[in-house]
Amino acid sequence: MTTIRLSVPETADRGEIIELRAMIQHEMESGFRFGSRGEMIPQDIITKFECFYNGTLVFSSNFHPGVAANPLLKFYARATESGSFEFVWTDQNGQSWSDSAQIEVS
């Protein structure tokens, strides 16, 4: 079971810049390490992160083998209307995980 943690303000004033945080629990195995018996541990990484605000992409990032386990992202967006933020992570095999959070803009 993958754990996702989000930090999105519940409310904001129209036009306010808000801080968003997103973390996913993932090992992010680089593929460069060896196990206790000398076997190479296969690569297993998240390769892409995207954040949508009411369906519009507001932030994206590509990940590479050097990214730490359980990557935490912190970024900013301008609150323009009430709605939802959707956070999507995709791994090297095309599997994806997502979560969302609502915001009320006044």
Side-chain angles (χ1 to χ4, degrees):
M1 177 85 178
T2 300
T3 301
I4 294 174
R5 293 200 172 106
L6 304 176
S7 175
V8 176
E10 292 180 8
T11 62
D13 294 328
R14 189 171 310 281
E16 181 180 351
I17 303 295
I18 58 171
E19 179 182 275
L20 305 168
R21 292 183 190 189
M23 195 264 329
I24 187 166
Q25 184 180 6
H26 193 280
E27 292 299 316
M28 296 294 283
E29 186 54 61
S30 68
F32 299 119
R33 295 183 330 121
F34 294 92
S36 61
R37 292 183 225 123
E39 76 282 6
M40 183 163 245
I41 300 171
Q43 184 181 60
D44 182 16
I45 65 169
I46 292 172
T47 56
K48 188 168 192 160
F49 170 80
E50 297 174 305
C51 178
F52 300 89
Y53 181 24
N54 289 336
T56 301
L57 181 67
V58 294
F59 182 84
S60 71
S61 178
N62 293 320
F63 292 167
H64 301 281
V67 174
N70 308 322
L72 169 67
L73 294 162
K74 179 172 109 173
F75 54 98
Y76 300 88
R78 184 178 304 275
T80 57
E81 61 186 356
S82 296
S84 68
F85 285 94
E86 182 181 9
F87 303 83
V88 182
W89 293 262
T90 305
D91 75 5
Q92 66 192 35
N93 301 312
Q95 183 178 1
S96 64
W97 301 268
S98 64
D99 201 354
S100 60
Q102 300 294 315
I103 187 167
E104 183 69 32
V105 176
S106 56

